[in-house]
Amino acid sequence: MEFDRKIKIAPSILSADFANFSQEIQCVEAEGADWIHVDVMDGHFVPNLTFGPPLCAAIRPHIKTVMDVHLMISPVDQYIDAFAEAGADILTAHLEAGPHVHRTLQAIRGAGCKAGLALNPGTGIEDLDYLLDMVDLICVMTVNPGFGGQKFIHSQVEKVRKLRAMIGDRPIHIEIDGGITPETAPLMTAAGADVLVAGSAVFKGGSVDNPAPYGENIRAIRAAAATA
Ligand code: DX5
Ligand code: ZN
């Protein structure tokens, strides 16, 4: 994975047809997705349950782009190797998931993945000083994690602006996740985000039998983001 700050759209398969992940992935990639975002939830760190390493391994061969795995789980460390073996390119853990985030990031890179760090909407960026050289991506949650289709939290625009300044020239992606639409995307790209996760706004109106709306939705977000 080469680093660049071009805008990337990462559809979240949380909004896909769960009975049909392989085709859903093929469709959104054919319609212009840059990365595939995989939301792992444990029913403990967040009040919802999704899937684990075997599902990630099963869908991996169908992903031609980048497998971006968002771990909304606590504890997290004991599962890192399993998700790495399942083929994650990027493994993102939450800053709030435990007391030893430095160790978690070391373990992710040690397992051969790019290391991501996610921040809940209520978490500030003050604690990142000593972590910046250990991360390849920072994910700013623009909703409280756990569910697709929630409303964008505007206070996170300022957080992204501050974070962008803090990152400077370091090769760190700023990803935003939650409530991203053609209306909210440009606020975030103007503030400095380069990876836009979108679930409901990508998958709405389409299906594997009618994937054209996926392309329209992705292009609408990309075009809006580019106006920033
Ligand atoms: C929320 C997940 C998101 C979610 C985004 O907990 O991390 O990735 O699927 O969904 P939308 O785009 O519908 O807000
Ligand atoms: Zn996510």
Side-chain angles (χ1 to χ4, degrees), residues 1-57:
M1 269 180 73
E2 292 288 307
F3 180 84
D4 65 55
R5 282 193 203 288
K6 274 186 263 173
I7 302 298
K8 293 162 192 64
I9 312 289
S12 164
I13 59 166
L14 191 60
S15 295
D17 174 2
F18 272 39
N20 223 342
F21 280 134
S22 59
Q23 277 183 285
E24 290 276 47
I25 288 164
Q26 261 179 332
C27 288
V28 286
E29 287 191 339
E31 295 292 338
D34 299 289
W35 292 3
I36 299 296
H37 185 84
V38 182
D39 284 308
V40 175
M41 305 186 187
D42 67 352
H44 167 73
F45 181 69
V46 290
N48 195 5
L49 275 167
T50 55
F51 30 72
L55 188 284
C56 292

Side-chain angles (χ1 to χ4, degrees), residues 12 14-15 37 39 41 70 72 141 143-150 177-180 197-201:
S12 164
L14 191 60
S15 295
H37 185 84
D39 284 308
M41 305 186 187
H70 179 190
M72 286 162 274
M141 293 303 302
V143 297
N144 284 296
F147 302 95
Q150 302 183 84
D177 187 2
I180 298 307
V197 175
S200 34

